[in-house]
Amino acid sequence: MGRTFLIRTFGCQMNEHDSERIAGLLESEGMEATTDLEEADVVVLNTCCIRENADNKLYGNLGHLKSLKDRRPDMQIAVAGCLAQKDRELIQARAPHTDVVFGTHNVASAATLLERARLEGPVMEILEESEAFPSALPARRDVPWAAWVTIQIGCDNACAFCIVPSVRGREISRPPAEVVAEVERLAAAGTVEVTLLGQNVNSYGRDITRRGPLFSQLLRSVGAVDGIRRVRWTSPHPKDLRPETIDAMAEVASVCEHLHLPLQSGSDRVLAAMHRGYTSERYLAKLAAARAAVPDLAVTTDIIVGFPGETDDDFAATLEVVAEAAYDSAYTFVFSPRSGTEAATMADRFVPPDVVAERFARLKVVVERSALARHQGRIGRVEEVVVEGPSRKDPEVLTGRTRQNKLVHFAAEPMGAGTFATVRVTGAAPHHLTGDLVEITARPRHRTRIAVSAV
């Protein structure tokens, strides 16, 4: 029997895609994936470090794994990802039963490092820059009808609250021809939806050329690939949302009517302290331009509550912008100081936890009010969905996702994940829609599982 592996992933889509690559590399070495933690020969924890509770999750998992390793000394434990890049030796100091620690630029070495650890003992290897663009690696994709495609790694911004530039490095854009070639291979294998990934995705290409808006050109090229019915992209920065990108969203049929545009704060004073590079007025102007150009555009956002020095007036400004923006949904976060960021040095300006909690609750009310109103406006409409599978709460109900990235629950006979169907919306809640099946419009055409390599 071959060795088995299990990967647990924390964090963003970039971490999820890195886990797909790690899984692809381990499979290429003859290992098999398992979902049984008790039986796994290798356990990889692919970590995030954006928020403080990421540390708690990691060391909680490592503590649980110690008892397994005590019973099975040959079991290997690896810690990868952003927290590994940041904490380095600290991980093995706090959890000496960890066999391998490798960072965000070492994904290609995952299998080699595990083998070294088997022969030599614990290994810690952190590179400061990637030796090769990570998408040039095999990937084990568990969602065969949809795929993430990395177009850029790293970030050149200096947001005061964000650790990403420290753990992901400078911006590096992948050549457009390589991106399109990967999407063509995915389409040939039956993938119908791709999400273009980058830490600052809409600044794509500025390290390649200054002569034109490469991201909008890439959207058009990817959208033209035969077989690709939906194109998404994340995560953008408002200051880099250009008119050419909005035009591409409006003109390319396969580019979905969904824009994730992180606000972070509605206070110009706080935005300046965060080094975000825009004002609330400029933000709302770009949002208005996108909505004017793209009919039925759904807009989501990120908002931080309690950034150091945030006053009642600052928070009131945020509520005003959120109400005006009328988001379809929002990811709301309590400020979390991360060592190595500018904001972490502002301890004398930290907002008391009880004040933050009260503001957070008020923000949730405003966000959910607009989300519910937007969803209620869809009642009676017929929406195209891609079926994702049975509902986790009710296996008699299927879930699908619209082009606007809205989750729809509807009763229907079982059908394969990746099926396209139309659903008449009959009900709305802040975070989902409900409806009735109208008809199936396209059956899945993907293979059971896709392994891709850009090599």
Side-chain angles (χ1 to χ4, degrees):
M1 295 292 292
R3 300 179 78 213
T4 60
F5 68 90
L6 183 150
I7 302 176
R8 284 185 172 172
T9 309
F10 310 94
C12 67
Q13 295 97 330
M14 191 71 77
N15 289 58
E16 294 280 358
H17 196 19
D18 283 347
S19 290
E20 290 183 339
R21 298 182 185 114
I22 294 168
L25 287 164
L26 298 184
E27 280 196 339
S28 70
E29 295 295 320
M31 299 181 67
E32 297 181 4
T34 181
T35 58
D36 189 343
L37 181 64
E38 298 287 332
E39 298 298 327
D41 297 302
V42 173
V43 176
V44 181
L45 304 179
N46 190 14
T47 63
C48 171
C49 67
I50 295 298
R51 303 187 59 74
E52 189 173 13
N53 65 1
D55 304 52
N56 300 330
K57 283 184 179 179
L58 170 63
Y59 293 110
N61 275 272
L62 287 174
H64 175 64
L65 289 172
K66 185 178 187 306
S67 61
L68 289 179
K69 190 167 177 71
D70 288 343
R71 296 199 308 269
R72 298 169 50 217
D74 289 340
M75 172 190 183
Q76 287 188 290
I77 301 169
V79 178
C82 296
L83 198 58
Q85 188 79 21
K86 176 174 126 358
D87 283 0
R88 308 186 179 208
E89 297 92 343
L90 179 62
I91 293 171
Q92 286 177 324
R94 290 185 60 175
H97 55 287
T98 304
D99 296 279
V100 179
V101 177
F102 63 98
T104 58
H105 304 297
N106 298 73
V107 170
S109 303
T112 302
L113 293 173
L114 284 163
E115 184 59 23
R116 270 183 55 194
R118 288 180 73 187
L119 300 174
E120 303 170 12
V123 174
M124 195 267 309
E125 185 173 289
I126 307 292
L127 295 177
E128 299 305 327
E129 292 187 1
S130 296
E131 294 178 331
F133 201 92
S135 278
L137 301 174
R140 181 186 193 277
R141 303 182 191 271
D142 289 325
V143 180
W145 72 90
W148 291 309
V149 177
T150 299
I151 68 170
Q152 174 213 61
I153 57 175
C155 182
D156 289 346
N157 293 315
C159 298
F161 55 83
C162 188
I163 193 69
V164 166
S166 298
V167 296
R168 289 284 181 177
R170 61 186 177 87
E171 288 182 14
I172 302 174
S173 299
R174 190 177 177 196
E178 286 187 13
V179 176
V180 174
E182 181 175 350
V183 174
E184 289 173 341
R185 285 192 297 273
L186 287 164
T191 295
V192 293
E193 178 178 311
V194 294
T195 300
L196 307 182
L197 289 183
Q199 246 73 47
N200 186 20
V201 68
N202 52 343
S203 70
Y204 168 82
R206 66 184 177 191
D207 58 318
I208 297 175
T209 178
R210 300 284 180 178
R211 291 182 296 173
L214 276 191
F215 182 63
S216 62
Q217 295 171 20
L218 185 68
L219 279 179
R220 294 179 184 277
S221 298
V222 169
V225 173
D226 186 41
I228 297 299
R229 295 180 57 161
R230 292 184 175 185
V231 178
R232 304 186 188 278
W233 45 287
T234 196
S235 185
H237 195 297
K239 69 178 177 58
D240 297 312
L241 181 61
R242 299 173 59 119
E244 296 89 348
T245 297
I246 295 173
D247 290 343
M249 291 181 67
E251 296 165 9
V252 180
S254 56
V255 176
C256 289
E257 297 83 1
H258 173 221
L259 174 63
H260 185 71
L261 198 64
L263 172 66
Q264 306 303 2
S265 174
S267 161
D268 290 346
R269 193 186 69 81
V270 173
L271 287 171
M274 289 177 168
H275 308 313
R276 290 294 288 169
Y278 55 84
T279 63
S280 59
E281 183 179 6
R282 286 183 60 200
Y283 176 95
L284 288 170
K286 293 193 176 197
L287 179 55
R291 281 183 165 148
V294 183
D296 202 22
L297 181 69
V299 182
T300 56
T301 196
D302 299 331
I303 303 166
I304 296 173
V305 178
F307 184 82
E310 181 187 71
T311 65
D312 288 341
D313 287 345
D314 291 324
F315 183 68
T318 294
L319 291 182
E320 289 176 9
V321 173
V322 171
E324 182 173 348
Y327 296 111
D328 291 75
S329 68
Y331 300 92
T332 54
F333 306 93
V334 170
F335 170 74
S336 178
R338 306 306 290 138
S339 176
T341 65
E342 180 182 344
T345 68
M346 304 176 181
D348 59 325
R349 284 171 275 170
F350 285 1
V351 181
D354 59 329
V355 174
V356 174
E358 187 269 341
R359 290 176 183 171
F360 192 85
R362 289 166 60 197
L363 175 62
K364 181 180 178 182
V365 170
V366 176
V367 168
E368 293 197 346
R369 183 171 61 211
S370 66
L372 179 59
R374 286 197 168 270
H375 285 183
Q376 288 173 333
R378 308 190 83 84
I379 293 175
R381 295 179 49 163
V382 174
E383 303 272 4
E384 178 195 71
V385 303
V386 177
V387 175
E388 296 186 344
S391 166
R392 286 178 293 181
K393 294 183 178 179
D394 183 355
E396 300 295 318
V397 173
L398 295 178
T399 62
R401 199 166 294 273
T402 72
R403 289 175 59 90
Q404 289 80 13
N405 207 33
K406 296 181 182 299
L407 199 64
V408 184
H409 301 293
F410 61 101
E413 294 296 320
M415 62 184 76
T419 299
F420 280 83
T422 52
V423 175
R424 188 177 305 280
V425 179
T426 59
H431 304 292
H432 69 271
L433 302 169
T434 55
D436 296 324
L437 176 67
V438 176
E439 65 175 333
I440 294 171
T441 56
R443 296 287 184 178
R445 64 184 190 87
H446 56 259
R447 300 168 188 165
T448 302
R449 185 160 56 79
I450 304 169
V452 300
S453 172
V455 176

